[in-house]
Amino acid sequence: MLYKEIHIGKFIKERVLELEMSMERVCSFLKKEEEAVEKIYESKSIDTDLLLRCSKLLEYDFFRIYSSHLILYSPPSAVDKNKNPKSDKIPYFRKNIYTQEIKDFIIEKIQSGEMTHSEIIQEYSIPKSTLHRWLQKI
């Protein structure tokens, strides 16, 4: 799976097809007409409330696609952590938690010869020891 370019509508449609879910069921759960559901399938991005409902209906965490993108493609933080204290009003998550999908994506890049170890480390800011630990478990 390529996390750099995300077209969420295609992922939703693919999941509906995987589950062989009827259009009537999708329309009923989302409370949308068939034309609106087709527009969702064609949309590169959708409202988060709608994405949450799609995630529940299709039993798939579509938000994880965006989280994976952040892990792989966001630049390292240059913010001084002492100047920007964490607020209790919004939840904070550690960036360095890699999902199995991320690990598989990275390992596939290496195994296919698409990227070298050093290119992975440089491109995605994954620590060398972490990458080697993943590769030892193969």
Side-chain angles (χ1 to χ4, degrees):
M1 176 180 291
L2 183 62
Y3 295 106
K4 195 164 193 170
E5 294 295 322
I6 299 170
H7 189 293
I8 200 66
K10 287 182 183 178
F11 289 120
I12 292 169
K13 183 175 184 177
E14 184 61 36
R15 182 66 178 163
V16 168
L17 294 173
E18 273 180 15
L19 297 175
E20 298 177 351
M21 192 170 287
S22 70
M23 180 61 87
E24 293 80 26
R25 171 78 176 116
V26 174
C27 291
S28 172
F29 189 89
L30 298 179
K31 298 179 180 137
K32 302 277 185 194
E33 298 293 325
E34 191 170 330
E35 296 81 28
V37 172
E38 289 296 336
K39 283 188 178 183
I40 291 170
Y41 295 159
E42 296 169 7
S43 298
K44 186 171 174 20
S45 62
I46 63 173
D47 179 71
T48 54
D49 183 56
L50 183 56
L51 186 59
L52 181 60
R53 290 189 310 199
C54 289
S55 294
K56 289 177 181 179
L57 171 66
L58 301 172
E59 298 175 356
Y60 184 89
D61 184 0
F62 290 103
F63 292 96
R64 189 169 287 201
I65 296 169
Y66 292 103
S67 297
S68 298
H69 174 89
L70 288 174
I71 290 169
L72 290 172
Y73 297 105
S74 66
S77 177
V79 176
D80 183 1
K81 293 180 181 171
N82 294 328
K83 290 182 183 177
N84 193 6
K86 292 182 180 177
S87 166
D88 291 336
K89 296 183 178 161
I90 61 171
Y92 282 88
F93 304 100
R94 291 180 15 198
K95 182 180 173 181
N96 62 350
I97 297 175
Y98 301 101
T99 63
Q100 189 59 46
E101 291 88 357
I102 295 286
K103 293 175 188 178
D104 293 343
F105 175 79
I106 296 296
I107 291 169
E108 174 62 29
K109 292 261 187 197
I110 291 171
Q111 288 180 333
S112 70
E114 192 174 333
M115 296 179 85
T116 65
H117 291 72
S118 57
E119 289 172 333
I120 293 287
I121 292 165
Q122 184 177 1
E123 175 79 18
Y124 302 117
S125 301
I126 295 174
K128 185 177 181 179
S129 59
T130 301
L131 181 60
H132 288 293
R133 196 173 333 115
W134 295 348
L135 293 171
Q136 286 176 348
K137 292 181 181 180
I138 299 176

